Amino acid sequence: MSRMTKEEVKQRVCKAIVDAQPRLRELAESIMAEPELGFKEVKTSKKVQAMFDELGISYTTGKGRMKGRDSKYTVAMVGELDAILCPRHPRADDLTGAAHCCGHNVQITNMFAVAMGLQGVMDELAGDVVLFAVPAEEMIEIDYRNKLREQGKLKYMGGKQQLIYEGAFDDIDMAMQMHVETAKTPAGEMGLGSTSNGFVSKLIEYHGKVAHAAQAPHEGINALNAALMGVMGVNSIRETFKESDYFRFHPIINQGGTLVNCVPDYVQVESYVRASNIEAIVDGNHRVNRALKAGGDAVGATCVIKDLPGYLPMRNDERMNALLRKNSNPIFGESNVYQGPHITASTDMGDVSHLMPVIHPWVGCISGVLHSAEYEISVPDVAYIKTAQALAMTIVDLLYNDAAGAKDVLDNFTPALNKETYIELLDRIAKGE
């Protein structure tokens, strides 16, 4: 039997989060000062492990577990280790261009804020809390990660994808993670997560034939022209994609030639094909590939497309969202708690949401734009206190009273995929099926 009422448990949790702020802000700043890109988060991982040691939480690498009175269900609080490439940000790493203008240092701090809030009340809860620091959410450096795949060091290029494959989510029943966004008011907001796009990641190569660009262009095959025509081919079919699918194709040219005197014989293009549902992603990707290959055919170049599994669309659990709203209203004020719209960006938390109940709120606490040089925390109390309090109290609602809240969520949840069908789907996408 619980010795405290649920309200008393929540009050203690909220106070502990406030009391822990000096240490938490120190952690947030430390991670901000040393940003690292995905699958390279060596220093950040050590900081997470040092915090686990400091708090006396048992862990394996980046995954700590806090045991409840009973272990009927397990709720994961997830935080991401990696930074994004943004060389113009004032806090960017001079050598790598990495910067935490994605707010992942805030996520890790919230993960530990929730831990420090709950540590003193775990014997009142009938379930465990896993603190899960995960790598490589930002799908960048595709060429580098694909080489890791080809070397057998990775199966998938997203951190949560790889962890699902390795079985790291097998002992978790439901998960939550926050993300920062631009504040709409000076007070900040809690945006309840909705849906998002998923995507296929693409490396597209055009192989032509080198020749002198001025003296003998007729002897060459221009791979850059092939790439440009391929991209324009995709542009020519954009009107055929349904607006309800939120289709996106946004390529960049990684390599566009070597010397201006030479007809470009090799060009590499990188892009995503995004949409709001798996069917639209697969169908749209086939049509994009057809247009890209036509660009090569037009000039006699060879087009080689490497389709790599991206992320699945996000699905927030309605019952968990309802608990989060109830806990956010008194902290943020009801007018500052809202149901978020569909998001055309993507996250590998979407992959997790196809396997188990998940919430992924977007918290208004920054100025500037995500992934931009102008990114800056503008409402720190929302970033580090209010959000953590709302999430920690939601965990209390799930695991208090013999974990009745968690049971209700799981009884009403039907997974879209299991681990085996999830892996099969990603492998089919990689084969272009």
Side-chain angles (χ1 to χ4, degrees):
M1 293 292 292
S2 295
R3 293 167 294 176
M4 291 189 287
T5 67
K6 186 160 68 172
E7 189 55 39
E8 288 171 337
V9 171
K10 288 184 175 182
Q11 288 174 1
R12 181 177 291 190
V13 167
C14 289
K15 182 179 185 303
I17 290 172
V18 173
D19 291 345
Q21 282 303 299
R23 182 68 183 96
L24 292 167
R25 305 287 177 101
E26 180 185 10
L27 175 65
E29 169 56 28
S30 174
I31 296 173
M32 183 79 182
E34 296 186 291
E36 298 173 299
L37 300 177
F39 294 122
K40 303 174 183 177
E41 307 101 322
V42 178
K43 294 178 183 177
T44 313
S45 295
K46 288 181 179 178
K47 291 173 185 180
V48 168
Q49 293 175 46
M51 281 295 292
F52 283 145
D53 288 332
E54 183 179 322
L55 297 176
I57 296 172
S58 61
Y59 65 93
T60 55
T61 313
K63 184 181 178 185
R65 180 176 288 269
M66 294 166 48
K67 302 283 287 184
R69 183 187 67 247
D70 295 317
S71 298
K72 294 191 173 184
Y73 303 103
T74 298
V75 181
M77 180 68 205
V78 178
E80 294 162 350
L81 296 163
D82 59 326
I84 191 71
L85 278 168
C86 189
R88 290 181 53 247
H89 194 276
R91 302 296 300 277
D93 184 282
D94 291 336
L95 294 177
T96 66
H100 274 294
C101 49
C102 49
H104 292 184
N105 65 316
V106 180
Q107 291 178 354
I108 296 293
T109 304
N110 268 269
M111 182 186 78
F112 280 113
V114 167
M116 296 167 86
L118 291 173
Q119 262 195 314
V121 300
M122 288 303 298
D123 59 351
E124 303 289 338
L125 305 180
D128 295 351
V129 176
V130 161
L131 312 165
F132 207 169
V134 301
E137 187 273 338
E138 303 289 353
M139 183 68 82
I140 59 175
E141 297 190 302
I142 303 300
D143 213 6
Y144 162 73
R145 295 190 192 183
N146 190 48
K147 288 177 182 176
L148 294 180
R149 285 183 76 244
E150 291 172 346
Q151 293 167 2
K153 296 177 180 178
L154 284 179
K155 171 72 171 176
Y156 302 116
M157 300 193 302
K160 298 185 191 69
Q161 294 177 319
Q162 182 67 20
L163 289 167
I164 291 170
Y165 172 72
E166 293 175 0
F169 279 91
D170 289 356
D171 60 350
I172 294 170
D173 296 301
M174 57 193 69
M176 56 178 63
Q177 173 187 306
M178 58 80 66
H179 205 294
V180 302
E181 70 172 351
T182 304
K184 299 173 177 61
T185 69
E189 304 84 26
M190 168 63 76
L192 304 176
S194 179
T195 54
S196 80
N197 274 11
F199 69 91
V200 171
S201 182
K202 305 178 73 63
L203 284 176
I204 306 131
E205 297 178 343
Y206 288 93
H207 298 268
K209 180 182 176 184
V210 71
H212 196 287
Q215 185 170 333
H218 57 282
E219 296 178 0
I221 298 174
N222 194 313
L224 181 58
N225 285 345
L228 295 175
M229 292 185 72
V231 171
M232 288 305 298
V234 178
N235 289 338
S236 297
I237 61 172
R238 283 183 185 271
E239 66 183 21
T240 69
F241 294 104
K242 293 189 296 184
E243 293 183 14
S244 59
D245 288 335
Y246 294 95
F247 177 84
R248 299 288 188 274
F249 175 75
H250 41 89
I252 60 171
I253 295 179
N254 291 335
Q255 185 171 336
T258 52
L259 296 173
V260 71
N261 278 348
C262 296
V263 171
D265 64 332
Y266 176 78
V267 171
Q268 186 191 76
V269 178
E270 180 182 327
S271 189
Y272 295 165
V273 165
R274 301 191 200 246
S276 62
N277 59 85
I278 293 172
E279 294 76 14
I281 294 169
V282 172
D283 174 68
N285 192 52
H286 285 311
R287 294 159 67 189
V288 165
N289 285 352
R290 184 179 61 203
L292 292 171
K293 290 177 180 178
D297 291 342
V299 301
T302 302
C303 178
V304 178
I305 299 173
K306 298 177 183 178
D307 282 334
L308 305 166
Y311 299 158
L312 299 186
M314 184 69 197
R315 301 146 41 100
N316 278 260
D317 184 80
E318 292 184 3
R319 280 175 167 74
M320 289 178 71
N321 255 351
L323 294 176
L324 180 59
R325 180 187 287 276
K326 182 183 72 173
N327 287 304
S328 298
N329 281 342
I331 296 175
F332 288 82
E334 288 191 30
S335 62
N336 291 322
V337 180
Y338 65 93
Q339 179 62 59
H342 176 79
I343 295 171
T344 51
S346 308
T347 170
D348 59 0
M349 200 66 168
D351 295 56
V352 180
S353 75
H354 280 65
L355 306 177
M356 66 185 66
V358 162
I359 52 173
H360 185 282
W362 290 83
V363 182
C365 62
I366 69 166
S367 59
V369 179
L370 281 174
H371 297 186
S372 79
E374 292 72 37
Y375 168 99
E376 186 176 5
I377 298 292
S378 59
V379 197
D381 283 358
V382 164
Y384 301 115
I385 299 177
K386 293 183 178 182
T387 300
Q389 289 175 332
L391 290 168
M393 289 194 293
T394 299
I395 293 175
V396 172
D397 280 333
L398 291 167
L399 299 181
Y400 188 83
N401 188 27
D402 216 26
K407 183 178 185 302
D408 177 62
V409 168
L410 289 166
D411 284 349
N412 289 278
F413 177 79
T414 302
L417 300 167
N418 58 37
K419 181 179 172 182
E420 289 71 28
T421 56
Y422 168 77
I423 291 171
E424 289 172 5
L425 173 62
L426 294 197
D427 289 348
R428 286 203 310 271
I429 291 173
K431 294 175 183 175
E433 296 178 359

